[in-house]
Amino acid sequence: LRLARRPARPPSEPERLPGLWLPQGFQLQPAPRPEAPRRGGLDLSLGSLAALGRGGVEPQLSVRGAEVGPDWRNAFRRWLDENVRYPPNAAVVGDEGTNRIQLLVDPDGRVRGARLTRRSGSVWLDAGLEIPFRNAVLPPFPPGADPKGVEVNLTVHWSIIRR
């Protein structure tokens, strides 16, 4: 059995790899990429969406077990604006929907439990409402709140403003 020897390649010829052979491939250039339009950052806070005009759809709130007035409601709204944001992943994929969460809160404002009573259809929006309330401390309730806990029901309408 005799094996044929491969002829030696001249030193001026480049070594070829298996597959596609493009002798002038090194001269090819990628097509120029069109410059993407510059966009400003998104402000995903609940307050900014309300200020941009969400059609007047504000988070809805009901409280059982405590007499709350405008002072507590305003403090709770500030807490929401500081802690609950439109989830960036939901914004990227354009998720919108409505969530409802039920909270059991101690009179001093410590959240003992939270459960979604209405899912939005988006895991990002659902998590965006549940996560901020884990181990959270809300504004304390006025004197006379139920020592067994105050039930807070919050409905949030997530929507993206398109201009």
Side-chain angles (χ1 to χ4, degrees):
L1 180 70
R2 287 178 69 159
L3 296 176
R5 293 186 97 175
R6 188 184 290 178
R9 111 182 120 72
S12 63
E13 183 181 314
E15 182 179 349
R16 292 199 293 184
L17 299 175
L20 183 63
W21 171 249
L22 295 173
Q24 279 74 33
F26 64 91
Q27 296 172 353
L28 297 176
Q29 298 291 323
R33 297 180 79 182
E35 195 168 310
R38 301 199 75 144
R39 296 186 339 187
L42 292 174
D43 181 0
L44 302 175
S45 67
L46 289 175
S48 69
L49 291 175
L52 291 173
R54 294 188 308 159
V57 182
E58 289 293 313
Q60 298 161 344
L61 176 71
S62 71
V63 178
R64 287 195 332 203
E67 292 295 323
V68 295
D71 290 343
W72 187 87
R73 288 179 182 275
N74 290 337
F76 181 69
R77 180 55 196 235
R78 278 190 304 276
W79 187 94
L80 282 177
D81 288 343
E82 293 169 5
N83 294 282
V84 178
R85 300 265 186 239
Y86 208 108
N89 290 343
V92 166
V93 297
D95 284 351
E96 298 179 316
T98 299
N99 279 117
R100 188 170 300 125
I101 192 166
Q102 184 178 63
L103 308 169
L104 184 58
V105 185
D106 288 331
D108 65 357
R110 293 183 198 285
V111 176
R112 269 199 271 161
R115 72 179 181 92
L116 283 179
T117 57
R118 178 177 178 176
R119 296 199 176 273
S120 66
S122 163
V123 295
W124 304 116
L125 296 177
D126 293 349
L129 189 59
E130 278 184 305
I131 291 171
F133 290 105
R134 289 184 187 158
N135 302 316
V137 179
L138 305 179
F141 293 96
D146 189 346
K148 296 179 206 158
V150 177
E151 182 181 303
V152 176
N153 289 288
L154 174 68
T155 302
V156 174
H157 305 280
W158 305 96
S159 60
I160 299 173
I161 309 287
R162 292 172 178 84
R163 294 184 189 197

